[in-house]
Amino acid sequence: MASMLEFRTPGFNPYAVKYSPYDDSRLAVAASANYGIVGNGRVFALRLGPTGIRLEKAFETNDALYDLAWSEINENQLVVACGDGSIKLFDLAAGDFPLMNFAEHKREAFSVCWNPIAKDLFISSSWDGTIKVWSPSRPTSIKTLPVGSCTYSACFSPTNPGIISSVSSDSHIRIFDLRTPVTAKYHLTSTIPVHAPPQGHGLSNGLTALKGSAPAEILTHDWNKYRDTVIATGGVDRVVRTFDIRNPAGGPLSALLGHGYAVRRLAWSPHASDVLATASYDMTVRVWSDGSMAVAAPPASGTGQAPIPGVGTQLGVMNRHSEFATGVDWCLFGTGGWLASAGWDQRVLVWDAHTLLRG
């Protein structure tokens, strides 16, 4: 297979690309006409093959599309987040129209995430300042979690089906635990200020430069697949930070600096505990190590000591996009280096980080 495969989305600017959790040769793209400002949207379901990438199926929507998530219970289904606030469930094997239309958000729906453990649940987040928990078989939401500010990204924990995280325009990570009583906080168990100054000793890899950083909108985040208390964030200030949710006041574990403009999307590798990929408005996709493999084991829980920040490093840059890079995702299968990226240049690129980023 060539080192880079390309698929074009003429007339539509991609906002997100996701590999199927079932099939290493299938991916989907959520895209919008006119950069998502006005006009309709399109879902592209793509198939990788010996001759490149081909279109398997496309769905049209009346409004822009900003995110998508594959179903964890049906390999042919996916949900998309729409500019009119709706969430639509499509089936690649069942016609051209959505099977379900979930319409409760009052403003743009900006992210969707399917629960990898409790597979009958997914969540959406919106500019209306809420997260909603859904079942694909129910037309109304099961629960609404108030965030209070424009919520760009919400995720389920990869190891605990009751824990939900979000990042938003107010520069905070929020952790919700659905197992807790609702109370006045609606399951909110932790709030982490992303731009708080770093704590402790050994401030390296740019952490000292963050001491006076002003709050900025956080656009994206993801849970580490191997260290289930670690979250990475990215946003308008161009810095990728990692945090341990067990220490909300401890500041970032590491900071990864190098992007020239806002970080729009990031994803931890499913193959290595210290590796993540980021897509940015600077038109690049970058692969990083957060430096955690070089850090001694953190202190036992309850000691009150912050772990020594890791020395993060940029492993390489993929700069073949000619517009904002807005989506990136890792293939779950294979040797661990395959990535898909998408950008406003109306291109989806599939490439092997091992060959493109070496050196």
Side-chain angles (χ1 to χ4, degrees):
M1 189 177 281
S3 61
M4 181 171 291
L5 303 174
E6 179 174 331
F7 181 85
R8 291 194 173 262
T9 60
F12 291 87
N13 309 101
Y15 267 87
V17 59
K18 297 285 175 65
Y19 267 100
S20 165
Y22 300 93
D23 187 336
D24 65 355
S25 62
R26 196 183 228 184
L27 41 123
V29 179
S32 302
N34 305 306
Y35 306 98
I37 299 167
V38 65
N40 59 330
R42 182 176 290 175
V43 186
F44 296 85
L46 307 178
R47 176 69 71 174
L48 306 178
T51 58
I53 307 176
R54 64 176 175 84
L55 179 66
E56 184 178 353
K57 180 104 177 180
F59 298 102
E60 306 289 332
T61 58
N62 290 331
D63 213 314
L65 298 181
Y66 297 127
D67 198 17
L68 67 100
W70 287 93
S71 166
E72 293 281 350
I73 49 178
N74 185 319
E75 65 180 358
N76 288 315
Q77 294 183 357
L78 49 81
V79 289
V80 293
C82 302
D84 61 5
S86 69
I87 311 297
K88 295 179 178 5
L89 174 70
F90 288 103
D91 190 318
L92 301 182
D96 297 328
F97 298 98
L99 296 184
M100 299 285 284
N101 186 56
F102 309 94
E104 291 185 14
H105 284 301
K106 302 296 190 288
R107 292 200 59 197
E108 289 85 342
F110 215 65
S111 82
V112 281
C113 176
W114 210 287
N115 196 316
I117 301 170
K119 298 175 185 284
D120 58 342
L121 297 176
F122 66 90
I123 51 175
S124 61
S125 75
S126 168
W127 291 12
D128 67 9
T130 67
I131 299 165
K132 289 183 179 285
V133 182
W134 307 91
S135 162
S137 59
R138 284 179 46 160
T140 56
S141 61
I142 296 169
K143 196 175 288 287
T144 299
L145 305 175
V147 174
S149 56
C150 180
T151 307
Y152 291 114
S153 172
C155 295
F156 280 106
S157 161
T159 57
N160 189 315
I163 293 181
I164 292 169
S165 58
S166 71
V167 295
S168 52
S169 59
D170 69 353
S171 175
H172 284 78
I173 304 169
R174 286 174 174 80
I175 307 295
F176 300 87
D177 190 338
L178 300 182
R179 302 165 301 178
T180 62
V182 175
T183 67
K185 290 193 169 184
Y186 292 93
H187 306 289
L188 181 67
T189 57
S190 183
T191 304
I192 301 172
V194 170
H195 289 81
Q199 307 292 320
H201 57 288
L203 298 180
S204 55
N205 64 314
L207 285 176
T208 49
L210 303 181
K211 276 190 169 293
S213 60
E217 294 192 313
I218 306 302
L219 304 177
T220 180
H221 79 300
D222 192 28
W223 292 79
N224 190 288
K225 309 302 188 289
Y226 295 90
R227 295 174 287 147
D228 63 3
T229 62
V230 174
I231 287 175
T233 67
V236 171
D237 74 349
R238 313 184 303 278
V239 182
V240 177
R241 295 170 175 83
T242 64
F243 296 87
D244 191 322
I245 64 171
R246 296 171 298 183
N247 189 13
L253 299 175
S254 62
L256 309 175
L257 290 83
H259 277 300
Y261 290 102
V263 178
R264 177 63 185 83
R265 184 86 59 169
L266 61 79
W268 283 102
S269 169
H271 307 284
S273 66
D274 65 322
V275 174
L276 69 159
T278 55
S280 167
Y281 290 159
D282 67 10
M283 307 186 208
T284 67
V285 177
R286 302 179 190 228
V287 176
W288 312 78
S289 166
D290 71 345
S292 58
M293 297 297 283
V295 179
S301 179
T303 63
Q305 293 175 283
I308 298 171
V311 180
T313 53
Q314 182 175 288
L315 302 179
V317 182
M318 194 284 286
N319 57 5
R320 299 274 288 273
H321 284 290
S322 57
E323 254 292 354
F324 291 171
T326 51
V328 65
D329 196 31
W330 297 86
C331 181
L332 293 173
F333 308 96
T335 55
W338 284 94
L339 283 158
S341 61
W344 276 9
D345 54 3
Q346 305 184 7
R347 294 159 74 219
V348 181
L349 302 176
V350 174
W351 41 284
D352 184 355
H354 292 311
T355 56
L356 279 179
L357 303 177
R358 189 170 294 132

